[in-house]
Amino acid sequence: MRGKILGNRYRIINRIGEGGMAYVYLAKDEKLGRKVAIKVLHEHMETNADIRKRFQMEAQAVSALDHPNIVKIYDFSGDRSDRLWIVTEVINGENLAQFVSRFHGGWLHPALATCIVREICKALDKAHNTGIVHRDIKPENIMITKQGIVKLMDFGIAKDLGRSSMTVTGTFMGSPSYMSPEQIRGKGVDHRSDIYSLAVLYYEIVTGRLPFSGQTTHDVVMKIMEGHYTYPRFLVPTIPDRLDKIIVKGMTKDKDGRFHSIVDMGRAIDQLLFSFGFVEAHV
């Protein structure tokens, strides 16, 4: 692909990443003279109608979300193109999993973890207000730039609540360890599913472990459905009681028992941040 031009505009420089659905390339926008990232669907998936639909969904979903904590989409190949690709901003940094792995024990100080989670709340607030549920909140989908900006990315399995056709049914989508019980069942998924997943992520980055683990995906799924796990404060006694309660509430098995909205969760986190001496999460 090096040197190839896509859309008569984007010259491929080199490959910088790969996911389950696509390669990611660094490219130069010949018209504007800037570096961009291009996500190109794997060739062997281009004839799969469901996969093509998911790729198109991502382009449509994120293009409507203009927010500093969400990766920006600049261009899309169009669903009728033989090669499907999405052009996004280049993010110079690392994902949250890589960031956390640099710390001893694989966990973050509660104040730092809380600041990061609060920024993710802001991104989800924008998405939810637009009627979009992300459905795949996990450390690998959170980027932290070299400037310290938190960016939510990869809306490949997002669900547009206003358009039922925007989700692919009959498939097990998402990362099992972070999935809510209702998402595993494949029904009743709404913004509270993202709240659950974010609470699981919060748990992981302050304790260094996931609440539900197992040898197989089936083991993990069964534990999530049972809903029994060790509260964070029993793993890390120095975790503030208020932080522990935020995670436990967010991970309530019955979605009606969780925060009613990501805004409510954000408010609870703001109170926690204030106790740490922070006025704003991004500072």
Side-chain angles (χ1 to χ4, degrees), residues 74-172:
Y74 297 140
D75 201 357
F76 173 51
S77 62
D79 61 324
R80 296 185 179 182
S81 174
D82 290 335
R83 297 302 307 269
L84 292 190
W85 42 264
I86 298 171
V87 181
T88 73
E89 65 177 311
V90 175
I91 300 177
N92 293 313
E94 57 191 344
N95 67 43
L96 182 55
Q98 294 167 329
F99 180 77
V100 174
S101 70
R102 294 196 284 107
F103 291 81
H104 179 70
W107 53 272
L108 303 178
H109 186 283
L112 176 56
T114 301
C115 284
I116 291 171
V117 171
R118 183 64 181 96
E119 293 297 281
I120 301 170
C121 285
K122 294 176 184 177
L124 287 175
D125 181 29
K126 176 66 176 181
H128 293 173
N129 276 332
T130 313
I132 293 170
V133 179
H134 189 282
R135 299 205 301 172
D136 198 16
I137 302 298
K138 60 182 179 180
E140 290 79 8
N141 285 341
I142 310 297
M143 294 294 295
I144 300 179
T145 72
K146 291 181 178 179
Q147 294 74 36
I149 300 171
V150 178
K151 296 263 189 181
L152 177 60
M153 59 185 293
D154 204 344
F155 284 73
I157 64 168
K159 179 179 181 180
D160 187 328
L161 297 178
R163 296 169 58 185
S164 58
S165 62
M166 282 286 288
T167 185
V168 181
T169 58
T171 54
F172 190 70

Side-chain angles (χ1 to χ4, degrees), residues 204-225:
E204 181 183 18
I205 64 176
V206 294
T207 67
R209 57 179 281 186
L210 285 162
F212 306 107
S213 58
Q215 294 296 318
T216 66
T217 297
H218 179 266
D219 291 341
V220 174
V221 166
M222 291 306 296
K223 289 181 180 179
I224 292 172
M225 297 306 293

Side-chain angles (χ1 to χ4, degrees), residues 2-260:
R2 182 176 295 179
K4 185 174 182 179
I5 295 180
L6 297 179
N8 298 315
R9 177 172 181 174
Y10 306 103
R11 185 178 297 276
I12 302 296
I13 299 174
N14 61 334
R15 194 165 80 189
I16 57 176
E18 180 180 356
M21 288 176 59
Y23 292 115
V24 181
Y25 297 92
L26 178 66
K28 181 179 180 181
D29 182 339
E30 302 270 287
K31 288 186 178 180
L32 297 179
R34 67 180 175 184
K35 297 287 181 63
V36 296
I38 303 186
K39 188 174 181 179
V40 182
L41 186 66
H42 289 314
E43 288 185 89
H44 67 276
M45 294 182 172
E46 290 178 344
T47 57
N48 185 310
D50 284 346
I51 299 273
R52 289 180 67 91
K53 185 176 182 180
R54 283 173 58 184
F55 207 72
Q56 180 184 359
M57 281 162 41
E58 180 174 7
Q60 292 176 333
V62 186
S63 64
L65 303 176
D66 184 13
H67 192 276
N69 295 118
I70 297 176
V71 64
K72 290 182 174 62
I73 281 190
Y74 297 140
D75 201 357
F76 173 51
S77 62
D79 61 324
R80 296 185 179 182
S81 174
D82 290 335
R83 297 302 307 269
L84 292 190
W85 42 264
I86 298 171
V87 181
T88 73
E89 65 177 311
V90 175
I91 300 177
N92 293 313
E94 57 191 344
N95 67 43
L96 182 55
Q98 294 167 329
F99 180 77
V100 174
S101 70
R102 294 196 284 107
F103 291 81
H104 179 70
W107 53 272
L108 303 178
H109 186 283
L112 176 56
T114 301
C115 284
I116 291 171
V117 171
R118 183 64 181 96
E119 293 297 281
I120 301 170
C121 285
K122 294 176 184 177
L124 287 175
D125 181 29
K126 176 66 176 181
H128 293 173
N129 276 332
T130 313
I132 293 170
V133 179
H134 189 282
R135 299 205 301 172
D136 198 16
I137 302 298
K138 60 182 179 180
E140 290 79 8
N141 285 341
I142 310 297
M143 294 294 295
I144 300 179
T145 72
K146 291 181 178 179
Q147 294 74 36
I149 300 171
V150 178
K151 296 263 189 181
L152 177 60
M153 59 185 293
D154 204 344
F155 284 73
I157 64 168
K159 179 179 181 180
D160 187 328
L161 297 178
R163 296 169 58 185
S164 58
S165 62
M166 282 286 288
T167 185
V168 181
T169 58
T171 54
F172 190 70
M173 298 182 296
S175 303
S177 295
Y178 304 89
M179 291 172 68
S180 65
E182 66 270 14
Q183 190 172 353
I184 289 172
R185 290 194 298 268
K187 59 182 180 180
V189 175
D190 60 21
H191 62 279
R192 289 168 293 183
S193 297
D194 281 347
I195 289 172
Y196 181 96
S197 299
L198 182 56
V200 172
L201 179 148
Y202 201 179
Y203 182 110
E204 181 183 18
I205 64 176
V206 294
T207 67
R209 57 179 281 186
L210 285 162
F212 306 107
S213 58
Q215 294 296 318
T216 66
T217 297
H218 179 266
D219 291 341
V220 174
V221 166
M222 291 306 296
K223 289 181 180 179
I224 292 172
M225 297 306 293
E226 290 169 359
H228 302 304
Y229 64 94
T230 303
Y231 285 11
R233 68 176 182 271
F234 295 123
L235 298 175
V236 185
T238 55
I239 286 178
D241 184 60
R242 185 175 285 171
L243 190 160
D244 185 85
K245 288 179 177 177
I246 290 171
I247 291 175
V248 171
K249 185 175 180 64
M251 285 181 56
T252 301
K253 184 177 177 180
D254 180 357
K255 63 182 180 180
D256 290 333
R258 298 172 204 156
F259 293 99
H260 294 304

